[in-house]
């Protein structure tokens, strides 16, 4: 089992937050080591950055993790697989959904 940490990206009383320009670039899928997401939790910060460059193995012992009611669909799991290929091999498969999403986001940014 592999895990990666999320870091709250928003400014709070306890953290400085991430620089807005960097968060915007992360939202546009410009970097393979970062993924922006709104986690399905009721706590702040709800906007978070997943750091793929801090992946680490986690033991399968039942006390090593906590199950939640949240599950990714097959398409989301495929995107995560493609993201890991992008990070590790520095190649983004052109037939992947992630490639299409990233290209669309980059095109939107060019128009601004």
């Amino acid at each position: 089992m592999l895990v990666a940490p999320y870091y709250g990206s928003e400014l709070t009383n306890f953290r400085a937050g991430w620089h807005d320009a960097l968060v915007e670039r992360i939202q546009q899928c410009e970097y393979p080591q970062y993924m922006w997401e709104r986690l399905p939790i009721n706590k702040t910060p709800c906007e978070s950055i997943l750091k793929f460059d801090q992946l680490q193995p986690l033991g399968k012992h039942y006390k090593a993790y906590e199950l939640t009611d949240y599950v990714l669909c097959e398409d989301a799991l495929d995107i995560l697989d493609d993201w890991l290929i992008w990070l590790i091999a520095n190649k983004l498969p052109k037939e992947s959904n992630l490639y299409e999403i990233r290209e669309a986001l980059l095109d939107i940014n060019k128009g601004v």
Side-chain angles (χ1 to χ4, degrees):
M1 185 180 313
L2 291 176
V3 296
Y6 277 100
Y7 294 95
S9 64
E10 299 170 331
L11 172 67
T12 70
N13 291 336
F14 303 104
R15 70 181 65 153
W18 290 54
H19 193 273
D20 289 339
L22 177 59
V23 172
E24 287 178 22
R25 294 182 76 174
I26 292 169
Q27 288 173 330
Q28 296 163 5
C29 301
E30 289 193 33
Y31 305 107
Q33 70 269 31
Y34 300 124
M35 182 179 78
W36 178 88
E37 186 170 5
R38 287 188 182 203
L39 297 174
I41 56 177
N42 294 327
K43 303 176 196 174
T44 57
C46 62
E47 291 187 5
S48 298
I49 306 295
L50 176 64
K51 292 207 58 184
F52 285 112
D53 58 350
Q54 293 184 0
L55 277 172
Q56 55 187 318
L58 183 69
K60 289 184 136 185
H61 190 275
Y62 72 96
K63 289 187 177 182
Y65 59 90
E66 178 182 344
L67 292 176
T68 67
D69 293 331
Y70 305 107
V71 178
L72 294 175
C73 67
E74 286 298 318
D75 288 340
L77 291 172
D78 289 342
I79 289 171
L80 281 177
D81 287 344
D82 292 332
W83 212 304
L84 290 175
I85 292 169
W86 183 27
L87 174 71
I88 294 167
N90 199 30
K91 295 180 182 177
L92 189 53
K94 289 189 177 182
E95 67 280 355
S96 70
N97 288 333
L98 179 58
Y99 179 86
E100 291 180 26
I101 292 166
R102 184 172 186 268
E103 289 299 308
L105 289 169
L106 292 172
D107 285 344
I108 290 169
N109 189 41
K110 286 179 189 173
V112 173

